[in-house]
Amino acid sequence: MPKDTVFAAELPWPAYQARVEGGDVPILIPLGSMEQHGHHMPMHVDVLLPTEFARRAAAEAGGLVAPPFTYGYKSHQKSGGGNFFPGTTSLDGATLVNALKDVVKEFVRHGTRKLCIVNGHFENSWFITEAIDLALRELRWDGITDVKVMVLSYWDFVDKASIKRLYPDGFLGWDIEHGGVLETSLMLRLHPDLVSLQDAVDHPPATFPPYDVYPARPEWTPASGTLSSAKDATPEKGDILLDVCTRGIVAALRTEFELPT
Ligand code: ZN
Ligand code: MN
């Protein structure tokens, strides 16, 4: 039995209870999606990456990692290629909101008072906000007012200096990074067995008009499903990302949750 695991679900319940009662130990909830990531990567990239950042941050800051959400909100054309690709398997917004709200309230019932949502799929963002708003409101109705929830997306911790090292030829924004240098570099470092870089389709960055149409126009998305090329991805860039994002997340957890250093 892995006694020092940071994964909450790997613990027997009494060991789990001993960690969470009192409310000082933060619980990190990774949130992902099942979404195509081009020809060179598997469809659970958005689950694997936030789970690993949560694992590293929890190990360093003294937290527990909840089982990740493996489905997320629908892929949007301008940030995930679109929800029309085979394999991409998404929840309606209300389903995600309700599921996350339920899980947050359950951890609070166990005694947890510090929660951190570690997002790995951009499209989840506003549904996370809504889930937490509803959870905190319902908890208030039960007289519970001492819960604090942090929400973060790991890529937001990449600073300007790191962006220069990762994108020496210029950075085009996180929205078209889908399946590009960021995610592919992290996967090359963490799960090289799941990446076949030789199958990545090299194409110019996706461009979109300044509006959306529904139903989405599949021809607006590069046929590969990625929104920028992964050809400049390297495991060394994965190390840069792992380092800067983990350090940032740990510092944020310590600040917001007043954790010992
Ligand atoms: Zn992704
Ligand atoms: Mn995604």
Side-chain angles (χ1 to χ4, degrees):
M1 205 271 292
K3 284 199 177 69
D4 58 352
T5 180
V6 297
F7 289 112
E10 291 181 355
L11 294 168
W13 74 262
Y16 168 78
Q17 184 188 34
R19 295 292 306 281
V20 300
E21 67 186 355
D24 286 331
V25 172
I27 292 204
L28 285 69
I29 307 176
L31 218 73
S33 67
M34 178 166 168
E35 184 185 40
Q36 66 79 21
H37 276 71
H39 293 203
H40 65 296
M41 286 202 293
M43 292 191 285
H44 62 341
V45 169
D46 291 357
V47 179
L48 293 176
L49 297 181
T51 301
E52 177 61 13
F53 280 113
R55 186 190 70 76
R56 289 175 183 231
E60 219 171 305
L64 286 172
V65 180
F69 276 65
T70 54
Y71 300 96
Y73 183 65
K74 294 158 196 156
S75 181
H76 189 262
Q77 188 153 31
K78 291 178 178 175
S79 52
N83 212 62
F84 42 82
F85 280 90
T88 296
T89 308
S90 307
L91 302 176
D92 287 349
T95 310
L96 176 58
V97 166
N98 281 312
L100 181 57
K101 182 190 76 167
D102 289 351
V103 167
V104 166
K105 288 170 62 187
E106 283 292 87
F107 285 124
V108 171
R109 177 175 66 80
H110 308 155
T112 301
R113 290 296 180 267
K114 301 169 178 176
L115 291 123
C116 178
I117 313 298
V118 183
N119 185 32
H121 174 66
F122 176 75
E123 290 86 334
N124 289 335
S125 304
W126 288 110
F127 301 95
I128 297 172
T129 304
E130 178 68 356
I132 291 164
D133 186 66
L134 297 185
L136 292 181
R137 186 171 73 186
E138 291 179 17
L139 289 165
R140 273 198 308 276
W141 293 340
D142 279 347
I144 298 171
T145 57
D146 56 348
V147 176
K148 185 170 186 177
V149 187
M150 286 175 68
V151 181
L152 60 89
S153 297
Y154 67 84
W155 54 82
D156 284 330
F157 290 85
V158 184
D159 57 9
K160 283 203 176 110
S162 303
I163 284 178
K164 271 196 173 156
R165 294 169 68 199
L166 295 163
Y167 304 94
D169 301 327
F171 177 58
L172 295 160
W174 293 133
D175 43 348
I176 62 158
E177 254 298 319
H178 178 70
V181 169
L182 170 100
E183 289 179 319
T184 306
S185 295
L186 285 165
M187 288 293 289
L188 281 172
R189 173 51 78 219
L190 297 170
H191 301 282
D193 51 320
L194 295 176
V195 185
S196 50
L197 199 52
Q198 69 278 7
D199 293 333
V201 178
D202 189 24
H203 61 76
T207 52
F208 297 103
Y211 55 85
D212 300 313
V213 288
Y214 300 96
R217 299 247 184 93
E219 65 273 20
W220 285 2
T221 300
S224 63
T226 51
L227 296 183
S228 55
S229 175
K231 84 166 168 21
D232 293 330
T234 64
E236 291 70 30
K237 288 180 180 175
D239 286 328
I240 295 173
L241 288 158
L242 283 169
D243 177 58
V244 70
C245 297
T246 305
R247 267 192 293 120
I249 294 169
V250 167
L253 288 170
R254 285 181 174 147
T255 301
E256 292 303 328
F257 293 148
E258 296 169 32
L259 303 174
T261 51

